[in-house]
Each structure stands twice: as C-alpha cells, then as structure tokens.
Amino acid sequence: LVERLAETGFAMETRRFVPHCTIARTPRGAWLPAELTNELRPPVVAWTAKQVTLLRSRLRIGGAVHEAHSVFPLDGASS
C-alpha cells in the first residue's frame, strides 16, 4: 500500500506510528499548577476489550471530528 501510494505522489507520513489512547487534551500553551498535576494520578483499572475501533480524525475549526473507520472484534479467534 505504501509503495502504491508513493507512486501516485501521495505525501507519506515520516513520523513513526505510535498507537495510543487519548484520555484528555488541554489547549496548547495551557498551564496547570504543580499542585494540581501532582494529584492527577490515574487509577489502576482492568477491563476486557470486546473490540478495537480505528477512528479517523478530521480537524475542523471548532475542533476535531472523529469517525469510526473500522471495527475489529476481539473474540479470541486468531486471524
């Protein structure tokens, strides 16, 4: 896929892909006092995921709009 896209002149992302979960965002340049950030320790949690949803983010003036792109069930079967 990468090779075919490059053939068409598609500008490829050069940064290493790092899958992640965004829990919260703050405005750029936002400042939080140390007393507050020291208290923001996430609790340890455990859960069972039933699926993984790949989202597409489209940046808009009012903020990002996230759309489900693909859903991958996690039923224990290998594929």
Side-chain angles (χ1 to χ4, degrees):
L1 178 61
V2 171
E3 291 171 2
R4 294 293 301 269
L5 288 170
E7 290 171 4
T8 67
F10 185 82
M12 301 304 297
E13 177 65 59
T14 57
R15 296 177 295 178
R16 185 175 74 98
F17 176 68
V18 180
H20 65 281
C21 292
T22 301
I23 304 301
R25 290 184 184 262
T26 59
R28 287 196 176 159
W31 175 83
L32 293 174
E35 309 83 58
L36 180 59
T37 57
N38 289 336
E39 297 297 320
L40 296 177
R41 302 280 186 241
V44 175
V45 296
W47 74 91
T48 300
K50 295 180 181 177
Q51 67 184 31
V52 172
T53 303
L54 179 63
L55 298 177
R56 173 183 292 141
S57 298
R58 298 181 187 271
L59 300 180
R60 305 279 191 231
I61 292 174
V65 174
H66 307 289
E67 303 166 340
H69 181 272
S70 302
V71 177
F72 304 94
L74 299 174
D75 59 5
S78 60
S79 57

